[in-house]
Amino acid sequence: MNAVEPHIVSSPTGPANAAPAGGIHACVRLAYPGFALDVDLKLPGHGVSALFGHSGSGKTTLLRCIAGLEAASVGRIEINGELWQDSAAGVFVPTHKRALGYVFQEASLFAHLSVRRNLEYGMRRAGANKVSWEQAVELLGIGHLLERMPGRLSGGERQRVGVVRALLTSPRLLLLDEPLAALDLKRKNEILPYLERLHDELDIPVLYVSHSPDEVARLADHVVLLDRGAAIAQGGLAETLARLDLPTAFTDDACAVVDAVVAAHDKRYHLTRLEFQGGSVRVALRPEPIGRRLRFRVHARDVSLALERLDGSTIINLLPVTVIAVADADTPAHVLVRLDLAGTPLLARITRLSRDQLGVAAGKHMWAQIKSVALLG
């Protein structure tokens, strides 16, 4: 793809040319034989924004355009007030002058240099560091690796070193291009907590490319769904995942993601109560202290509906909800139901028979019975 010169698809017009007040604005249009990218994104200038979609949807091409590794023929890219490209004005800032850190699928470390010297080499072009050496090394837990050679690192350790190297370049934006794609499940689970720490402890906006729903659900605040070079949806994670008009909703993995706080521990029954906007759920006893933020996921297939509160049940998480919408699912026997729990969206996957027997329709007040809650992180 990179060997073919992109050509203009169309010229941005109207509001797309206007720069937002802060945040990340990327209006990019280019085409190759057999592929076109045409997106106009306005993302928050903080937190983690995930570029999500199947292989070939344009995620990495978009990231490379933002980094300046691909020159979009038509576009405007502005990061928190700093203009990196404006094709109408003839502005194109080369990659080495863009204050960004880029982590690829494979950490390309110099094999003949120790971890410490790899990091020092990466700092040579950095300005005043937004993240100190000590902070970056501690955040990614690589202090004990500094004197090792790259050949003695695991895949997860190499990626952690790659993230530290990116942080030490004083980035205003951190780009992570499927950093876990080459790792097995064990290594992914090792590195995910470190990526969560970046989210919680650093004020650097992150663009995170992934085709993994689990990674997006665990890390992202904002999500962009890409399909065949177009952004078919963008918005807050919880709201976007609960939409019924998107392809992601019509799979067996349809789910809602909820941010909660540890409210209480019941040591007698080995349960923890998590509170969130609109209610609370109980889960198996957690080690986190009261007040700690946690994120959990509820699959639509694990939510059943009832007309009344059913106290004589083994299901302990019963919540009052209002039906917002009903849509066809991916099988003729089922429908998906979007629910509102005092501001928190949920999804339920039920049979058409149940829909008709219970009269499930927009505006109806019901009780959601949550069979299973999956903690993320």
Side-chain angles (χ1 to χ4, degrees), residues 33-75:
F35 175 79
L37 181 68
D38 187 349
V39 298
D40 188 358
L41 305 180
K42 294 180 177 65
L43 306 175
H46 54 83
V48 176
S49 295
L51 305 180
F52 177 62
H54 58 75
S55 298
S57 60
K59 306 183 300 296
T60 293
T61 301
L62 174 58
L63 207 69
R64 289 175 61 83
C65 287
I66 292 171
L69 299 173
E70 300 255 3
S73 299
V74 175

mmCIF file of all heavy atoms in Angstrom, residues 33-75:
data_model
loop_
_atom_site.group_PDB
_atom_site.id
_atom_site.type_symbol
_atom_site.label_atom_id
_atom_site.label_comp_id
_atom_site.label_asym_id
_atom_site.label_seq_id
_atom_site.Cartn_x
_atom_site.Cartn_y
_atom_site.Cartn_z
ATOM 1 N N PRO A 33 -5.355 2.387 -4.815
ATOM 2 C CA PRO A 33 -6.146 1.428 -5.605
ATOM 3 C C PRO A 33 -6.775 0.370 -4.689
ATOM 4 O O PRO A 33 -6.078 -0.322 -3.954
ATOM 5 C CB PRO A 33 -5.113 0.822 -6.555
ATOM 6 C CG PRO A 33 -4.076 1.899 -6.713
ATOM 7 C CD PRO A 33 -3.996 2.561 -5.368
ATOM 8 N N GLY A 34 -8.076 0.309 -4.688
ATOM 9 C CA GLY A 34 -8.785 -0.681 -3.887
ATOM 10 C C GLY A 34 -9.073 -0.265 -2.458
ATOM 11 O O GLY A 34 -9.688 -1.025 -1.698
ATOM 12 N N PHE A 35 -8.643 0.935 -2.033
ATOM 13 C CA PHE A 35 -8.896 1.367 -0.662
ATOM 14 C C PHE A 35 -8.973 2.888 -0.603
ATOM 15 O O PHE A 35 -8.185 3.592 -1.232
ATOM 16 C CB PHE A 35 -7.786 0.895 0.278
ATOM 17 C CG PHE A 35 -7.938 1.406 1.690
ATOM 18 C CD1 PHE A 35 -8.841 0.811 2.555
ATOM 19 C CD2 PHE A 35 -7.197 2.484 2.131
ATOM 20 C CE1 PHE A 35 -8.997 1.284 3.846
ATOM 21 C CE2 PHE A 35 -7.338 2.960 3.431
ATOM 22 C CZ PHE A 35 -8.237 2.355 4.281
ATOM 23 N N ALA A 36 -9.931 3.405 0.154
ATOM 24 C CA ALA A 36 -10.050 4.839 0.386
ATOM 25 C C ALA A 36 -10.285 5.092 1.868
ATOM 26 O O ALA A 36 -10.987 4.340 2.534
ATOM 27 C CB ALA A 36 -11.202 5.419 -0.432
ATOM 28 N N LEU A 37 -9.662 6.145 2.383
ATOM 29 C CA LEU A 37 -9.847 6.569 3.767
ATOM 30 C C LEU A 37 -10.474 7.949 3.748
ATOM 31 O O LEU A 37 -9.959 8.871 3.099
ATOM 32 C CB LEU A 37 -8.500 6.606 4.498
ATOM 33 C CG LEU A 37 -8.526 7.014 5.980
ATOM 34 C CD1 LEU A 37 -9.217 5.947 6.815
ATOM 35 C CD2 LEU A 37 -7.111 7.263 6.494
ATOM 36 N N ASP A 38 -11.593 8.104 4.428
ATOM 37 C CA ASP A 38 -12.307 9.381 4.446
ATOM 38 C C ASP A 38 -12.932 9.538 5.825
ATOM 39 O O ASP A 38 -14.009 9.014 6.103
ATOM 40 C CB ASP A 38 -13.382 9.403 3.354
ATOM 41 C CG ASP A 38 -14.042 10.772 3.213
ATOM 42 O OD1 ASP A 38 -13.826 11.631 4.092
ATOM 43 O OD2 ASP A 38 -14.757 10.986 2.218
ATOM 44 N N VAL A 39 -12.246 10.239 6.720
ATOM 45 C CA VAL A 39 -12.727 10.385 8.092
ATOM 46 C C VAL A 39 -12.602 11.834 8.546
ATOM 47 O O VAL A 39 -11.745 12.583 8.078
ATOM 48 C CB VAL A 39 -11.946 9.478 9.078
ATOM 49 C CG1 VAL A 39 -12.123 8.013 8.746
ATOM 50 C CG2 VAL A 39 -10.478 9.843 9.108
ATOM 51 N N ASP A 40 -13.451 12.215 9.456
ATOM 52 C CA ASP A 40 -13.401 13.528 10.099
ATOM 53 C C ASP A 40 -13.688 13.300 11.571
ATOM 54 O O ASP A 40 -14.837 13.098 11.963
ATOM 55 C CB ASP A 40 -14.424 14.478 9.475
ATOM 56 C CG ASP A 40 -14.270 15.910 9.992
ATOM 57 O OD1 ASP A 40 -13.390 16.136 10.850
ATOM 58 O OD2 ASP A 40 -15.024 16.793 9.542
ATOM 59 N N LEU A 41 -12.639 13.280 12.375
ATOM 60 C CA LEU A 41 -12.760 12.940 13.793
ATOM 61 C C LEU A 41 -12.515 14.158 14.670
ATOM 62 O O LEU A 41 -11.598 14.940 14.420
ATOM 63 C CB LEU A 41 -11.754 11.858 14.180
ATOM 64 C CG LEU A 41 -11.759 10.562 13.375
ATOM 65 C CD1 LEU A 41 -10.693 9.623 13.917
ATOM 66 C CD2 LEU A 41 -13.127 9.918 13.421
ATOM 67 N N LYS A 42 -13.322 14.311 15.678
ATOM 68 C CA LYS A 42 -13.103 15.300 16.729
ATOM 69 C C LYS A 42 -13.130 14.533 18.048
ATOM 70 O O LYS A 42 -14.184 14.113 18.510
ATOM 71 C CB LYS A 42 -14.161 16.391 16.675
ATOM 72 C CG LYS A 42 -14.089 17.262 15.419
ATOM 73 C CD LYS A 42 -15.168 18.330 15.424
ATOM 74 C CE LYS A 42 -15.036 19.240 14.207
ATOM 75 N NZ LYS A 42 -15.287 18.517 12.945
ATOM 76 N N LEU A 43 -11.952 14.357 18.628
ATOM 77 C CA LEU A 43 -11.791 13.504 19.803
ATOM 78 C C LEU A 43 -11.362 14.339 21.003
ATOM 79 O O LEU A 43 -10.779 15.416 20.851
ATOM 80 C CB LEU A 43 -10.739 12.429 19.517
ATOM 81 C CG LEU A 43 -10.960 11.582 18.263
ATOM 82 C CD1 LEU A 43 -9.789 10.642 18.045
ATOM 83 C CD2 LEU A 43 -12.259 10.799 18.380
ATOM 84 N N PRO A 44 -11.614 13.843 22.212
ATOM 85 C CA PRO A 44 -11.165 14.559 23.411
ATOM 86 C C PRO A 44 -9.642 14.692 23.437
ATOM 87 O O PRO A 44 -8.919 13.821 22.948
ATOM 88 C CB PRO A 44 -11.657 13.667 24.560
ATOM 89 C CG PRO A 44 -12.701 12.796 23.964
ATOM 90 C CD PRO A 44 -12.335 12.600 22.530
ATOM 91 N N GLY A 45 -9.177 15.774 24.021
ATOM 92 C CA GLY A 45 -7.740 15.991 24.141
ATOM 93 C C GLY A 45 -7.160 15.383 25.393
ATOM 94 O O GLY A 45 -6.137 15.837 25.910
ATOM 95 N N HIS A 46 -7.801 14.316 25.899
ATOM 96 C CA HIS A 46 -7.342 13.630 27.102
ATOM 97 C C HIS A 46 -7.892 12.210 27.076
ATOM 98 O O HIS A 46 -8.791 11.879 26.296
ATOM 99 C CB HIS A 46 -7.824 14.361 28.359
ATOM 100 C CG HIS A 46 -9.311 14.564 28.375
ATOM 101 N ND1 HIS A 46 -10.212 13.603 28.784
ATOM 102 C CD2 HIS A 46 -10.066 15.620 27.981
ATOM 103 C CE1 HIS A 46 -11.436 14.054 28.662
ATOM 104 N NE2 HIS A 46 -11.389 15.284 28.171
ATOM 105 N N GLY A 47 -7.366 11.353 27.935
ATOM 106 C CA GLY A 47 -7.856 9.981 28.014
ATOM 107 C C GLY A 47 -7.435 9.141 26.825
ATOM 108 O O GLY A 47 -6.569 9.512 26.028
ATOM 109 N N VAL A 48 -8.081 7.968 26.702
ATOM 110 C CA VAL A 48 -7.752 7.011 25.648
ATOM 111 C C VAL A 48 -8.897 6.957 24.640
ATOM 112 O O VAL A 48 -10.036 6.650 25.000
ATOM 113 C CB VAL A 48 -7.517 5.599 26.234
ATOM 114 C CG1 VAL A 48 -7.262 4.589 25.116
ATOM 115 C CG2 VAL A 48 -6.347 5.612 27.213
ATOM 116 N N SER A 49 -8.581 7.259 23.385
ATOM 117 C CA SER A 49 -9.529 7.118 22.288
ATOM 118 C C SER A 49 -9.110 5.913 21.464
ATOM 119 O O SER A 49 -7.981 5.857 20.967
ATOM 120 C CB SER A 49 -9.560 8.370 21.413
ATOM 121 O OG SER A 49 -10.056 9.482 22.131
ATOM 122 N N ALA A 50 -9.999 4.934 21.329
ATOM 123 C CA ALA A 50 -9.683 3.705 20.602
ATOM 124 C C ALA A 50 -10.175 3.799 19.170
ATOM 125 O O ALA A 50 -11.319 4.203 18.924
ATOM 126 C CB ALA A 50 -10.321 2.504 21.297
ATOM 127 N N LEU A 51 -9.308 3.436 18.234
ATOM 128 C CA LEU A 51 -9.691 3.263 16.829
ATOM 129 C C LEU A 51 -9.930 1.774 16.655
ATOM 130 O O LEU A 51 -8.996 0.972 16.685
ATOM 131 C CB LEU A 51 -8.587 3.762 15.895
ATOM 132 C CG LEU A 51 -8.124 5.205 16.107
ATOM 133 C CD1 LEU A 51 -7.023 5.565 15.109
ATOM 134 C CD2 LEU A 51 -9.280 6.176 15.998
ATOM 135 N N PHE A 52 -11.182 1.399 16.483
ATOM 136 C CA PHE A 52 -11.597 0.003 16.571
ATOM 137 C C PHE A 52 -12.233 -0.435 15.254
ATOM 138 O O PHE A 52 -12.989 0.310 14.637
ATOM 139 C CB PHE A 52 -12.600 -0.152 17.715
ATOM 140 C CG PHE A 52 -13.164 -1.529 17.883
ATOM 141 C CD1 PHE A 52 -12.350 -2.606 18.194
ATOM 142 C CD2 PHE A 52 -14.525 -1.759 17.737
ATOM 143 C CE1 PHE A 52 -12.869 -3.878 18.358
ATOM 144 C CE2 PHE A 52 -15.061 -3.021 17.903
ATOM 145 C CZ PHE A 52 -14.232 -4.087 18.205
ATOM 146 N N GLY A 53 -11.905 -1.638 14.817
ATOM 147 C CA GLY A 53 -12.492 -2.173 13.598
ATOM 148 C C GLY A 53 -11.720 -3.401 13.148
ATOM 149 O O GLY A 53 -10.640 -3.704 13.663
ATOM 150 N N HIS A 54 -12.286 -4.108 12.179
ATOM 151 C CA HIS A 54 -11.648 -5.324 11.690
ATOM 152 C C HIS A 54 -10.414 -4.986 10.861
ATOM 153 O O HIS A 54 -10.176 -3.829 10.502
ATOM 154 C CB HIS A 54 -12.640 -6.146 10.861
ATOM 155 C CG HIS A 54 -13.199 -5.399 9.680
ATOM 156 N ND1 HIS A 54 -12.481 -5.156 8.529
ATOM 157 C CD2 HIS A 54 -14.423 -4.819 9.494
ATOM 158 C CE1 HIS A 54 -13.204 -4.477 7.682
ATOM 159 N NE2 HIS A 54 -14.398 -4.256 8.235
ATOM 160 N N SER A 55 -9.615 -5.994 10.543
ATOM 161 C CA SER A 55 -8.424 -5.789 9.718
ATOM 162 C C SER A 55 -8.826 -5.206 8.369
ATOM 163 O O SER A 55 -9.793 -5.652 7.750
ATOM 164 C CB SER A 55 -7.684 -7.118 9.505
ATOM 165 O OG SER A 55 -7.233 -7.635 10.742
ATOM 166 N N GLY A 56 -8.094 -4.186 7.931
ATOM 167 C CA GLY A 56 -8.386 -3.552 6.658
ATOM 168 C C GLY A 56 -9.382 -2.413 6.731
ATOM 169 O O GLY A 56 -9.746 -1.840 5.700
ATOM 170 N N SER A 57 -9.809 -2.052 7.958
ATOM 171 C CA SER A 57 -10.801 -0.979 8.082
ATOM 172 C C SER A 57 -10.183 0.406 8.004
ATOM 173 O O SER A 57 -10.905 1.398 7.885
ATOM 174 C CB SER A 57 -11.566 -1.132 9.398
ATOM 175 O OG SER A 57 -10.681 -1.069 10.507
ATOM 176 N N GLY A 58 -8.863 0.499 8.087
ATOM 177 C CA GLY A 58 -8.192 1.794 7.954
ATOM 178 C C GLY A 58 -7.592 2.327 9.238
ATOM 179 O O GLY A 58 -7.101 3.461 9.265
ATOM 180 N N LYS A 59 -7.566 1.539 10.299
ATOM 181 C CA LYS A 59 -7.092 2.012 11.599
ATOM 182 C C LYS A 59 -5.632 2.462 11.546
ATOM 183 O O LYS A 59 -5.300 3.580 11.945
ATOM 184 C CB LYS A 59 -7.244 0.914 12.659
ATOM 185 C CG LYS A 59 -8.639 0.333 12.789
ATOM 186 C CD LYS A 59 -8.727 -0.689 13.902
ATOM 187 C CE LYS A 59 -7.807 -1.886 13.733
ATOM 188 N NZ LYS A 59 -8.138 -2.708 12.542
ATOM 189 N N THR A 60 -4.767 1.579 11.067
ATOM 190 C CA THR A 60 -3.336 1.896 11.048
ATOM 191 C C THR A 60 -3.031 2.988 10.035
ATOM 192 O O THR A 60 -2.180 3.858 10.283
ATOM 193 C CB THR A 60 -2.522 0.627 10.753
ATOM 194 O OG1 THR A 60 -2.662 -0.282 11.849
ATOM 195 C CG2 THR A 60 -1.044 0.954 10.570
ATOM 196 N N THR A 61 -3.708 2.990 8.893
ATOM 197 C CA THR A 61 -3.488 4.053 7.900
ATOM 198 C C THR A 61 -3.821 5.411 8.499
ATOM 199 O O THR A 61 -3.081 6.386 8.320
ATOM 200 C CB THR A 61 -4.344 3.806 6.646
ATOM 201 O OG1 THR A 61 -3.990 2.545 6.085
ATOM 202 C CG2 THR A 61 -4.120 4.890 5.617
ATOM 203 N N LEU A 62 -4.923 5.499 9.234
ATOM 204 C CA LEU A 62 -5.294 6.752 9.884
ATOM 205 C C LEU A 62 -4.238 7.157 10.898
ATOM 206 O O LEU A 62 -3.836 8.328 10.969
ATOM 207 C CB LEU A 62 -6.658 6.603 10.558
ATOM 208 C CG LEU A 62 -7.131 7.785 11.402
ATOM 209 C CD1 LEU A 62 -7.189 9.057 10.571
ATOM 210 C CD2 LEU A 62 -8.493 7.484 12.021
ATOM 211 N N LEU A 63 -3.770 6.205 11.702
ATOM 212 C CA LEU A 63 -2.747 6.514 12.703
ATOM 213 C C LEU A 63 -1.469 7.015 12.041
ATOM 214 O O LEU A 63 -0.834 7.958 12.521
ATOM 215 C CB LEU A 63 -2.472 5.268 13.546
ATOM 216 C CG LEU A 63 -1.967 5.520 14.968
ATOM 217 C CD1 LEU A 63 -3.075 6.121 15.810
ATOM 218 C CD2 LEU A 63 -1.467 4.241 15.608
ATOM 219 N N ARG A 64 -1.086 6.397 10.928
ATOM 220 C CA ARG A 64 0.121 6.818 10.216
ATOM 221 C C ARG A 64 -0.042 8.217 9.629
ATOM 222 O O ARG A 64 0.914 8.987 9.568
ATOM 223 C CB ARG A 64 0.468 5.803 9.129
ATOM 224 C CG ARG A 64 0.981 4.473 9.687
ATOM 225 C CD ARG A 64 1.195 3.442 8.579
ATOM 226 N NE ARG A 64 2.181 3.886 7.610
ATOM 227 C CZ ARG A 64 3.494 3.764 7.754
ATOM 228 N NH1 ARG A 64 3.985 3.195 8.846
ATOM 229 N NH2 ARG A 64 4.315 4.196 6.821
ATOM 230 N N CYS A 65 -1.241 8.561 9.200
ATOM 231 C CA CYS A 65 -1.488 9.927 8.714
ATOM 232 C C CYS A 65 -1.334 10.936 9.845
ATOM 233 O O CYS A 65 -0.748 12.014 9.670
ATOM 234 C CB CYS A 65 -2.885 10.034 8.108
ATOM 235 S SG CYS A 65 -3.088 9.244 6.493
ATOM 236 N N ILE A 66 -1.869 10.604 11.012
ATOM 237 C CA ILE A 66 -1.747 11.507 12.154
ATOM 238 C C ILE A 66 -0.285 11.668 12.561
ATOM 239 O O ILE A 66 0.149 12.752 12.950
ATOM 240 C CB ILE A 66 -2.592 10.981 13.326
ATOM 241 C CG1 ILE A 66 -4.087 11.078 12.964
ATOM 242 C CG2 ILE A 66 -2.303 11.748 14.611
ATOM 243 C CD1 ILE A 66 -5.010 10.403 13.950
ATOM 244 N N ALA A 67 0.482 10.585 12.430
ATOM 245 C CA ALA A 67 1.910 10.644 12.777
ATOM 246 C C ALA A 67 2.752 11.318 11.703
ATOM 247 O O ALA A 67 3.906 11.650 11.959
ATOM 248 C CB ALA A 67 2.434 9.223 13.018
ATOM 249 N N GLY A 68 2.186 11.511 10.499
ATOM 250 C CA GLY A 68 2.961 12.084 9.406
ATOM 251 C C GLY A 68 3.749 11.058 8.631
ATOM 252 O O GLY A 68 4.541 11.411 7.747
ATOM 253 N N LEU A 69 3.551 9.767 8.923
ATOM 254 C CA LEU A 69 4.232 8.710 8.178
ATOM 255 C C LEU A 69 3.562 8.452 6.833
ATOM 256 O O LEU A 69 4.172 7.879 5.934
ATOM 257 C CB LEU A 69 4.244 7.415 9.007
ATOM 258 C CG LEU A 69 4.981 7.505 10.353
ATOM 259 C CD1 LEU A 69 4.776 6.236 11.158
ATOM 260 C CD2 LEU A 69 6.470 7.773 10.118
ATOM 261 N N GLU A 70 2.305 8.859 6.710
ATOM 262 C CA GLU A 70 1.584 8.868 5.444
ATOM 263 C C GLU A 70 1.111 10.297 5.233
ATOM 264 O O GLU A 70 0.612 10.938 6.162
ATOM 265 C CB GLU A 70 0.363 7.936 5.498
ATOM 266 C CG GLU A 70 0.683 6.497 5.779
ATOM 267 C CD GLU A 70 0.579 5.634 4.541
ATOM 268 O OE1 GLU A 70 0.320 6.180 3.451
ATOM 269 O OE2 GLU A 70 0.742 4.420 4.683
ATOM 270 N N ALA A 71 1.261 10.790 4.036
ATOM 271 C CA ALA A 71 0.835 12.155 3.740
ATOM 272 C C ALA A 71 -0.547 12.122 3.111
ATOM 273 O O ALA A 71 -0.705 11.774 1.944
ATOM 274 C CB ALA A 71 1.834 12.831 2.799
ATOM 275 N N ALA A 72 -1.548 12.478 3.894
ATOM 276 C CA ALA A 72 -2.902 12.561 3.347
ATOM 277 C C ALA A 72 -2.952 13.675 2.319
ATOM 278 O O ALA A 72 -2.502 14.792 2.570
ATOM 279 C CB ALA A 72 -3.892 12.833 4.474
ATOM 280 N N SER A 73 -3.473 13.373 1.133
ATOM 281 C CA SER A 73 -3.513 14.383 0.085
ATOM 282 C C SER A 73 -4.391 15.554 0.475
ATOM 283 O O SER A 73 -4.103 16.703 0.126
ATOM 284 C CB SER A 73 -4.036 13.754 -1.215
ATOM 285 O OG SER A 73 -3.190 12.727 -1.650
ATOM 286 N N VAL A 74 -5.466 15.266 1.169
ATOM 287 C CA VAL A 74 -6.367 16.312 1.635
ATOM 288 C C VAL A 74 -6.595 16.082 3.111
ATOM 289 O O VAL A 74 -6.979 14.981 3.514
ATOM 290 C CB VAL A 74 -7.717 16.281 0.885
ATOM 291 C CG1 VAL A 74 -8.677 17.305 1.476
ATOM 292 C CG2 VAL A 74 -7.502 16.532 -0.594
ATOM 293 N N GLY A 75 -6.358 17.089 3.924
ATOM 294 C CA GLY A 75 -6.611 16.876 5.331
ATOM 295 C C GLY A 75 -6.186 18.027 6.204
ATOM 296 O O GLY A 75 -5.471 18.942 5.784
#
